[in-house]
Every structure is written in C-alpha cells, then in structure tokens.
Amino acid sequence: MKVIRPTVVLPGLRLSKAYTNERVAESVARLRGALLREGRFDAWVAPVRENVRPDRVEVRFDIDRGPQFHVGEATLARLDGSQLKLTEADGGFPVEAICDSLLDQRAEAERQGRLDFAATLEVRPLPPLPNSPRRTAVTGAVIASEPLSIRQIHFRSDARLGDSALRNALRIEEAAPLDSARLRRSLASLNRFMLLKPVSQGDIEIKRVAPGQADVTFHLHKQNARRWTIGGPLGPMSLFGPLHGRLETRLPPWGRGLLDLSTYTVGGWLTGAPALVLKNDAWVWKTIWRPSLVLSRPALPGSGLTSGYLWSPQLSPSQLLAANGALRARSQLARWVEGDPPAPPLHVSVTHVERGPLGSIVCREGRDWTDRLRTAGKLALSIAGL
C-alpha cells in the first residue's frame, strides 16, 4: 500500500494540486509502468479517494507488487524484418536494452520519413523450471507508416515575412524525406524568430498528396509590431553590463532579401552605465544615461552574417564594432546553449496474451554531460541579463 499526500514545504504550509480524474489516471499509469520495468507482470494498482474535508481530497494508491518474473526469452522484431534477441544473465527483464533498440529504430524511421512509429510488447507464460517457477517470454514489435518525401513546403502567415527568410530557418527541404527530427529542429529554429509568435507541433499541417509524397504547411502568426523592454543584469553592472530600456517597432514589409524591411526594427534605446565623475573635488560613481536611435536586424535563423547587427548614429565606430560583436557572440552562444530539441518519450504498450493490457513503459533518450552544461549555460545567460 502506498499513500500519496500533499508535499510539506514548511510546517503548516503544504502544496497540493487540484483533484482531477486525469491526474489520478496518469499517476496509476506511471506506477504500473514502474512495476512493469521491474518485470512484475502481475502487479496491481488501485486508487482510493478519501474525502478529508469538503474542500480537500486525498488519494491513496493500494499496490500489490506481485512476483518478479524470470524472463526466459526476449525477442524484438525490427522494421527490416530481422529479429533481435535480448537476454540478461540473471533472467531479469532487459527493459533498458529494449528501450535503446526501440529508440534507435524510431530515429532510423524518422530519417527515412516514416511517421506514426509505434511499439508494443507481448508477454506470454513459459513452462516453469525448478529454479525459475515464474517464467515468461517477451516479444516486441514495431510498426511505422510508409516513407514519405516532401513535395512542397507552404507558409500560411500574417507576419508579412519573406518566403526566403522563413525557408532559411528550416531544417527540411523539398524532395527530401519527411524527417521528424529535422521537423522538430525546424520548429525550434522558427521559435528563434523574434518576429513570430511561438510555434508548436499543432501549427504544422502534413497532407498526403500522392503515394509516398506529402505537403508540409506551417501556420505562423506575427508578434506585435511594437514592443518595449526594460531589463538589466542580476549583479554588478561593472561585471554583467548596463541597465537598458527599449522601445522598438518593425518597419513596413517593403523590399526583398537583404533589403526586406519587415525583418528590421527601429527604436529608441536608453542605456544606463556606471561611470566615475568628479563631484565636489571627489571621484564618485554615477549612472550615466545615454539615449540612442537604433536600426537593427535581429539574428534570423539560417541567415548567417546577413542578420544580427545594429547601427546607431550616437555610437562611435569602435562602439558599433563592440556592440555588433557582442550581439553576434550572444546569438551564437544562445543557439549553442539551446541545442537540438529532445525527442518525445516513446510509450510502449505491454499486453499479456491471456489477461490483456497490463499498462505501458516509457522510453526516453538518456542525458549526457553536455545537457547539464547547457542547463548551466542558460542559467548563466539569465543571470548576466543576456
């Protein structure tokens, strides 16, 4: 039996979430998945609701872990028709090896343009042996749609951005396989456009137009043409930079390519930096505010050196060079810190040949040291006000 109670932060202060049937069902699924990963195919989980007060509900999960089965055979059918046998010396459930193989197969299916990848595991009992009375065999299967290539890419947008600027941000191209991983990277790249509202998977329409071919349509929406920001570093200005305020607006959609004015912004900047000034025969620190008129072209994904720069008549050539260098370095660093979007978790349904569905296990790609370094980099950029 397991009892789930609200988290206690301080005496008398508890964090609790609103009770919904969906949250209870998700918790039951996670508990069943954790037990299945241990090879407990007879486990039982049941939620019990207790009305503590009219405005508070506590949920108790009654759990019967059941025995841990000895997996005598584990066979995984692959997309190419081959069979992969996975076993552990102690007879344990080789769930990690199964997940690694399934994730590799999904990645390969994505590169081929195969959508709707799914995986299932079937559990069937085996005759008992003296040293392993509870023996079972596990058989895995994977399915995916036929490979698709991209016939045409379309944009449905009210942002009035040039088609070439948007295509430069994509990681997919026409006549190439419809790679889901590249499609996720394209979404992340489009989300770096400061001129567009955030884009999600629901904003992509994939339409099959011919055998083995599909059209991809991106539905994009513009950000407000005008924006203002006020910010500064979390720390001394002498180390992390000045205070700043901005009021910017986009230019009309005139021109094409490098002269596409819709990719430019013009606005007034107000920057406050510490400086030593002489006051009453003594040197003191004082914040000096400097207004400036700035014309800038924000860093556009895939545009290289043709974007990510600014010009201001109030700045000297050396200041312009330093400002553009800092803008370019910040753009490159932010892109490295962001990295590629992770692949979604793979939910693998587990079914018993006699008792039906048992639940599902979740396979996720492992994290390495670079992920931790990127997380630290994001925190450092936030502290530095970048």
Side-chain angles (χ1 to χ4, degrees):
M1 181 179 70
K2 183 176 182 179
V3 179
I4 307 298
R5 300 186 182 279
T7 303
V8 177
V9 180
L10 293 173
L13 178 63
R14 300 193 300 178
L15 296 179
S16 58
K17 296 182 178 180
Y19 174 87
T20 62
N21 293 330
E22 290 76 11
R23 284 199 176 110
V24 174
E26 290 174 2
S27 298
V28 170
R30 286 196 298 268
L31 290 171
R32 286 176 176 169
L35 295 171
L36 288 174
R37 295 181 75 93
E38 297 177 0
R40 301 181 184 275
F41 303 120
D42 280 346
W44 177 76
V45 180
V48 179
R49 168 176 167 167
E50 296 181 354
N51 295 321
V52 180
R53 297 197 308 264
D55 62 341
R56 180 172 293 276
V57 174
E58 290 189 356
V59 181
R60 185 183 75 248
F61 293 90
D62 293 338
I63 299 176
D64 182 359
R65 296 169 61 87
Q68 193 168 15
F69 280 73
H70 182 282
V71 179
E73 299 176 4
T75 306
L76 189 62
R78 302 171 63 87
L79 283 174
D80 59 4
S82 62
Q83 300 285 328
L84 178 65
K85 293 188 178 297
L86 302 169
T87 58
E88 293 190 356
D90 58 355
F93 183 30
V95 62
E96 297 299 334
I98 290 176
C99 278
D100 290 343
S101 177
L102 291 177
L103 291 174
D104 289 342
Q105 290 192 71
R106 185 180 67 174
E108 179 60 29
E110 288 181 342
R111 286 190 289 269
Q112 297 175 5
R114 294 171 176 259
L115 305 179
D116 306 323
F117 183 90
T120 59
L121 294 177
E122 185 182 70
V123 179
R124 71 178 189 275
L126 292 177
L129 295 176
N131 58 344
S132 55
R134 298 184 181 88
R135 296 177 65 241
T136 187
V138 176
T139 304
V142 294
I143 57 173
S145 62
E146 292 298 317
L148 289 176
S149 62
I150 302 173
R151 191 188 70 166
Q152 289 182 341
I153 298 175
H154 305 283
F155 297 99
R156 299 289 182 265
S157 173
D158 57 5
R160 296 185 178 181
L161 288 172
D163 190 79
S164 59
L166 294 172
R167 287 179 180 270
N168 287 338
L170 300 182
R171 300 296 179 264
I172 59 174
E173 57 186 11
E174 294 171 348
L178 182 52
D179 190 333
S180 298
R182 287 182 174 269
L183 196 59
R184 289 193 297 271
R185 290 197 288 270
S186 297
L187 278 179
S189 183
L190 288 173
N191 282 329
R192 287 197 291 269
F193 264 96
M194 301 174 61
L195 313 175
L196 296 174
K197 288 185 177 180
V199 187
S200 65
Q201 194 73 33
D203 297 315
I204 302 178
E205 178 184 354
I206 299 176
K207 182 179 180 181
R208 290 177 171 86
V209 293
Q213 290 186 326
D215 286 352
V216 180
T217 303
F218 294 87
H219 297 272
L220 309 176
H221 303 281
K222 64 180 179 179
Q223 287 278 24
N224 194 333
R226 299 176 180 85
R227 65 173 185 167
W228 61 271
T229 59
I230 298 176
L234 184 61
M237 288 190 292
S238 58
L239 293 178
F240 297 116
L243 299 171
H244 55 82
R246 302 179 183 179
L247 180 61
E248 299 174 322
T249 184
R250 284 176 55 192
L251 294 179
W254 297 335
R256 297 183 62 184
L258 182 61
L259 299 180
D260 183 1
L261 296 185
S262 65
T263 61
Y264 289 81
T265 62
V266 63
W269 290 18
L270 185 63
T271 305
L276 279 174
V277 298
L278 184 62
K279 183 178 181 180
N280 297 330
D281 298 329
W283 291 96
V284 296
W285 285 100
K286 184 179 179 180
T287 301
I288 304 298
W289 294 96
R290 295 187 175 90
S292 56
L293 179 67
V294 177
L295 175 68
S296 65
R297 194 184 197 211
L300 304 178
S303 296
L305 297 177
T306 63
S307 66
Y309 51 82
L310 59 87
W311 176 83
S312 173
Q314 283 78 29
L315 298 181
S316 65
S318 60
Q319 289 174 329
L320 277 176
L321 184 61
N324 281 278
L327 186 64
R328 174 64 55 181
R330 180 178 63 181
S331 174
Q332 295 294 331
L333 183 60
R335 184 170 58 181
W336 179 86
V337 166
E338 181 181 349
D340 291 333
L346 177 63
H347 294 263
V348 183
S349 61
V350 183
T351 305
H352 195 279
V353 294
E354 297 175 352
R355 301 195 304 274
L358 301 179
S360 62
I361 61 176
V362 181
C363 299
R364 293 184 173 88
E365 292 184 349
R367 300 184 60 187
D368 55 15
W369 64 273
T370 58
D371 296 312
R372 299 181 178 88
L373 187 60
R374 293 180 195 276
T375 303
K378 291 179 183 179
L379 178 61
L381 288 179
S382 300
I383 294 176
L386 299 177

